[in-house]
Amino acid sequence: GGWEENAPESIKMLGGLDGTAIRTMISRGELDITDDSQTYEAYEAMDAMDGVDIAQYLSGVNFNLMLNTKAAPTDDIHVRRAMAFATDYDSIVNDIFIGSKRATGPVVLGMTAAALTEEDMPYEFNLEKAEEELKQSKYYDQLISGEIPISFVWCTEGGLQQEKLALFFQASMAKIGVKVEITGKTFATMMTDAQTIETTPNASVVSFAPAYSDAGSVLKTRYHSGSCGSWEQMEWLQDDKIDSQIDSALVTVDQDERNSMYKEIGKELVELSPTIWLFDVATTCAYRSNYIQVWPVVEKNNAGEPFLYAMGYQYYFRDFRVVN
């Protein structure tokens, strides 16, 4: 189809760069866009460089803490609810994943017709409620004594931000007397572990992007029993009612009716608490604004225009314009 004037003529993508190399290369003009896994402090340092700015945009990605509903102690709904109440959501989006938005459930807020509202989400950071839920658990004595810890796995490719999240959650749970054992694993290892209930941790940090802009692409992939045994559903929910509701919604042609069905499924999932929906991800990276003159996704975000792009569109380089 050809290229517009001032579109980039070629793209070279690099992998395996550490933070120091990234900061050095972008300062020298050897790198035009960083990845989105640097610390906020690193982004601030790069933002201070001449000709470098920070790009940030909501990416349609939901950041989850998947809870294994078939393995002790997270097979107990009171433990899962206690964990949800012990999560300091505001601090996570204000201090770790800065710019992200508190999630309201399984469907990202960009899919407004099917997303739940803040009023539909009962969980907030409340240690008193967390303790109340914990005391209703059959595992209470074993959890408080440390006999049964909660296993928590974060993805090493997610960088220091995910490790900070893991440590932050560990500290919060310690305030209600629960021991959390955290481990960093590669995504490939997490995928292998997800194949059986026994090898799936109690809690796994995973971000998820819809395959297409309909809530069904989230609910089918994330919560239908057919996806168990994969990284996309480490909850092992296996709920026949939820399966049936998802299947029915997916074949409902009327869009308003279908979205209404999706919302009801979302409310039931919130009640079951198989997941701690942490936030809708704001992707952050540094880029050479003195070279990249037009980046459509960033421009839409900066203008405050509501949008949810097709997954990967932020790197649809045909629409970029650079200094020729």
Side-chain angles (χ1 to χ4, degrees):
W3 295 83
E4 297 292 336
E5 186 178 0
N6 293 336
E9 294 181 358
S10 62
I11 304 298
K12 182 178 181 180
M13 305 188 80
L14 305 173
L17 298 178
D18 62 29
T20 300
I22 285 174
R23 290 193 295 275
T24 300
M25 291 179 70
I26 201 164
S27 70
R28 294 175 176 174
E30 298 169 352
L31 184 67
D32 300 315
I33 303 174
T34 74
D35 64 11
D36 57 3
S37 299
Q38 302 304 302
T39 64
Y40 188 70
E41 293 76 15
Y43 289 127
E44 285 187 318
M46 288 185 280
D47 193 25
M49 299 174 184
D50 289 339
V52 177
D53 282 324
I54 300 301
Q56 192 170 73
Y57 44 89
L58 290 173
S59 55
V61 176
N62 186 274
F63 203 89
N64 307 269
L65 186 57
M66 300 181 180
L67 308 179
N68 187 339
T69 65
K70 296 298 184 290
T74 46
D75 59 340
D76 188 327
I77 192 170
H78 296 294
V79 173
R80 301 197 299 271
R81 288 174 175 169
M83 294 169 70
F85 279 121
T87 301
D88 189 347
Y89 304 94
D90 288 342
S91 293
I92 290 171
V93 298
N94 290 332
D95 301 327
I96 303 176
F97 291 88
I98 297 171
S100 297
K101 304 294 183 183
R102 170 72 202 279
T104 60
V107 179
V108 296
L109 284 169
M111 295 178 182
T112 51
L116 301 181
T117 66
E118 292 180 4
E119 288 73 25
D120 295 321
M121 174 52 69
Y123 298 112
E124 59 184 357
F125 181 49
N126 189 319
L127 294 179
E128 289 185 4
K129 288 185 178 180
E131 289 179 333
E132 289 173 7
E133 288 287 348
L134 199 63
K135 288 176 181 177
Q136 297 179 63
S137 169
K138 61 185 177 182
Y139 299 113
Y140 178 74
D141 292 337
Q142 293 163 294
L143 285 165
I144 295 301
S145 68
E147 179 184 344
I148 297 182
I150 290 174
S151 56
F152 183 115
V153 170
W154 59 278
C155 181
T156 53
E157 287 92 340
L160 289 175
Q161 287 175 302
Q162 282 204 23
E163 185 175 15
K164 282 185 177 181
L165 172 65
L167 292 168
F168 190 67
F169 183 80
Q170 183 186 53
S172 292
M173 292 296 291
K175 292 176 182 177
I176 60 172
V178 176
K179 181 180 179 182
V180 175
E181 295 180 343
I182 59 176
T183 307
K185 293 187 177 183
T186 65
F187 188 55
T189 303
M190 292 177 70
M191 285 192 290
T192 301
D193 290 347
Q195 293 178 23
T196 69
I197 293 172
E198 293 75 21
T199 55
T200 301
N202 293 122
S204 305
V205 175
V206 179
S207 58
F208 178 83
Y212 53 94
S213 296
D214 183 84
S217 70
V218 177
L219 298 172
K220 175 76 172 182
T221 308
R222 286 283 290 110
Y223 296 105
H224 195 281
S225 295
S227 65
C228 288
S230 74
W231 68 270
E232 292 177 302
Q233 198 206 139
M234 287 194 259
E235 289 92 348
W236 293 93
L237 186 59
Q238 297 174 316
D239 186 295
D240 291 341
K241 181 182 178 183
I242 294 292
D243 288 352
S244 177
Q245 288 176 307
I246 292 172
D247 289 337
S248 295
L250 284 170
V251 295
T252 298
V253 177
D254 182 84
Q255 184 169 316
D256 291 337
E257 183 181 355
R258 188 172 69 253
N259 283 328
S260 178
M261 295 170 74
Y262 288 152
K263 289 192 75 168
E264 288 305 310
I265 296 168
K267 290 177 181 178
E268 291 191 35
L269 287 168
V270 169
E271 181 67 22
L272 292 170
S273 303
T275 308
I276 299 176
W277 298 281
L278 296 171
F279 54 88
D280 294 338
V281 179
T283 296
T284 304
C285 62
Y287 73 107
R288 285 209 300 141
S289 55
N290 60 355
Y291 175 65
I292 298 174
Q293 296 180 318
V294 176
W295 187 349
V297 167
V298 174
E299 292 189 353
K300 286 180 178 292
N301 186 77
N302 291 346
E305 297 180 24
F307 70 98
L308 185 66
Y309 55 78
M311 188 170 67
Y313 173 67
Q314 72 270 36
Y315 297 131
Y316 185 64
F317 293 109
R318 287 176 58 96
D319 284 354
F320 278 52
R321 300 294 179 263
V322 299
V323 176
N324 195 331

